[in-house]
Amino acid sequence: MKLTEKLNQSKNTLFSIEILPPLKGKSIQSIYDGIDPLMEFKPAFVDVTYHREEYIYKKREGGYLEKVSMRKRPGTVGICAAIMNKYNVEAVPHIICGGFTREETENALIDLQFLGIDNVLALRGDSIKTEPAFVPEPNGHPYALDLVKQVTDMNQAHYIDNDMKDAAPTNFCIGVAGYPEKHFEAPNMVSDLKFLKQKVDAGAEYIVTQMFFDNTKYFQFVEDCRKHGITVPIIPGLKILSGKKQIVTLPKIFHIDIPQPFYEALETCKDDKEIKAVGIEWCIQQCKELLKANVPCLHFYTMGASEMTKSVAKEIF
Ligand code: FAD
């Protein structure tokens, strides 16, 4: 079922989660162990992130370093199929431009359609860590916008090969990312919103935001989107801060702020147990305010912390 149908049918704010595939070599059981405690809150959908290859240096005999390409977290599509089968819940694979030619994307989308997956979150992906800026594959997509266009084309039975006769249309509901605190590469918010609008005009039917800890940023973002003619649902993405290190790493990785009152409360914590308690409480207050504002869904970046997500969901749903 398309997410937009779910969102339209529900009078109440929905609950959803995002999970990461396990590290290569680990069992899928860790995925089930993360989802099981949250099933009582009836997630409307489960997003599964996509992780492209990275380059690592392996020390070889004689001391020289070999540059090796490897995907640390493969399995997005398999996990989606497995959790749909096991839990009867909508799984939403993230699809990215990075590392894919247009043809590989087309083939991947055909696989998803055959598996009965109705929703995709279309993203550009970040640059490979060893590259200073995002580089698309030759004949790949430079922006998420181009990926959205390709999915929309397939939804209209337009495949890369124009000569294809009687091609069946796909029927994907497309989501895209939005950034209440601006995407870090965008020169300013107006420019970022202009490109977000282009993704929606090209066929994106809903937006999921980057995590934020300050609800005023989300409310302002929604207001700005509406002013720019973006009318689709905007689902807030939430992360529960779970350790002292994250006070530094989350702003650095995701280009977001930790609001001063939250920072002050975190600073007084003696250990990660106390940090977790403060993180949970902050997230509960965020959720309560977002619920009052009747947001379409509360989307949790669980990042392996499903017990913490459960502590928040218990207070909210
Ligand atoms: P785009 O929409 O392409 O935007 C990228 C930048 O380019 C922005 O600054 C935008 O303003 C600008 N821009 C857009 N179009 C144009 C244009 N035509 N000309 C000039 N500038 C333009 N990454 C992963 O690798 N895997 C995941 O599973 C994943 N999941 C995510 C889920 C969510 C909800 C979010 C918010 C992010 C996720 N990411 C993921 C990270 C994401 O891939 C990065 O933030 C990436 O840097 C940008 O992706 P995008 O889809 O927003 O890109």
Side-chain angles (χ1 to χ4, degrees):
M1 186 184 194
K2 291 187 171 199
L3 289 199
T4 41
E5 282 171 43
K6 279 195 173 244
L7 295 171
N8 287 339
Q9 277 173 15
S10 176
K11 287 192 196 85
N12 301 322
T13 298
L14 297 173
F15 166 71
S16 63
I17 57 171
E18 179 170 309
I19 57 169
L20 273 67
L23 287 168
K24 187 182 272 191
K26 300 280 177 213
S27 146
I28 195 167
Q29 189 56 43
S30 62
I31 294 290
Y32 301 147
D33 292 346
I35 296 177
D36 284 342
L38 300 173
M39 282 313 289
E40 65 177 283
F41 306 106
K42 298 188 174 49
F45 58 95
V46 178
D47 270 43
V48 185
T49 55
Y50 189 92
H51 301 259
R52 67 174 299 181
E53 76 282 9
E54 289 173 38
Y55 288 105
I56 53 165
Y57 288 91
K58 290 222 170 203
K59 214 171 197 172
R60 298 296 185 207
E61 226 173 280
Y64 79 90
L65 294 173
E66 187 187 357
K67 192 178 175 188
V68 184
S69 162
M70 99 174 246
R71 283 187 61 205
K72 284 189 180 165
R73 293 182 186 272
T76 301
V77 177
I79 290 169
C80 284
I83 61 180
M84 279 170 66
N85 188 36
K86 185 170 163 67
Y87 299 102
N88 193 24
V89 65
E90 289 302 329
V92 185
H94 292 189
I95 55 170
I96 65 170
C97 305
F100 282 80
T101 63
R102 280 160 46 83
E103 190 174 13
E104 285 164 346
T105 296
E106 185 173 272
N107 293 338
L109 287 165
I110 290 170
D111 278 342
L112 296 180
Q113 197 207 8
F114 288 171
L115 284 169
I117 288 169
D118 294 329
N119 304 281
V120 290
L121 192 74
L123 303 142
R124 188 195 67 182
D126 282 322
S127 59
I128 296 181
K129 285 194 185 99
T130 44
E131 286 175 348
F134 178 80
V135 182
E137 289 302 294
N139 199 23
H141 296 306
Y143 294 107
L145 169 65
D146 307 290
L147 183 54
V148 172
K149 283 181 180 164
Q150 184 174 10
V151 185
T152 302
D153 279 349
M154 285 178 71
N155 282 347
Q156 292 163 359
H158 299 145
Y159 288 70
I160 295 170
D161 178 1
N162 288 329
D163 297 334
M164 212 150 45
K165 297 261 181 314
D166 300 326
T170 55
N171 191 24
F172 291 110
C173 172
I174 310 165
V176 289
Y179 301 83
E181 298 178 60
K182 189 180 86 57
H183 184 259
F184 71 103
E185 291 168 23
N188 55 59
M189 198 58 169
V190 173
S191 144
D192 212 17
L193 288 170
K194 182 180 89 178
F195 293 123
L196 181 56
K197 169 103 170 42
Q198 287 183 6
K199 291 194 281 191
V200 172
D201 291 346
E205 293 177 77
Y206 69 97
I207 295 165
V208 183
T209 76
Q210 181 59 280
M211 65 180 74
F212 57 88
F213 292 104
D214 180 352
N215 283 353
T216 58
K217 303 257 170 81
Y218 169 81
F219 293 131
Q220 186 62 54
F221 177 66
V222 174
E223 201 181 313
D224 291 344
C225 282
R226 302 308 180 221
K227 273 188 202 146
H228 281 76
I230 299 168
T231 56
V232 297
I234 302 176
I235 298 173
L238 295 157
K239 156 94 180 99
I240 308 166
L241 198 139
S242 61
K244 199 151 196 131
K245 271 195 202 151
Q246 292 185 352
I247 301 173
V248 178
T249 56
L250 295 179
K252 193 170 160 195
I253 298 170
F254 298 104
H255 308 274
I256 51 162
D257 279 354
I258 309 268
Q260 189 61 22
F262 188 26
Y263 179 72
E264 280 166 11
L266 292 165
E267 259 198 322
T268 62
C269 295
K270 287 194 290 295
D271 52 29
D272 278 356
K273 196 172 163 217
E274 286 187 17
I275 293 262
K276 281 183 180 151
V278 171
I280 288 170
E281 187 50 34
W282 186 269
C283 191
I284 289 171
Q285 295 313 319
Q286 272 194 280
C287 290
K288 284 185 174 167
E289 196 180 18
L290 292 165
L291 271 188
K292 262 197 203 151
N294 209 15
V295 297
C297 182
L298 294 172
H299 183 68
F300 289 87
Y301 297 111
T302 60
M303 292 183 175
S306 55
E307 284 304 326
M308 291 180 75
T309 309
K310 184 174 177 174
S311 305
V312 172
K314 256 189 344 210
E315 299 295 319
I316 302 298
F317 294 101

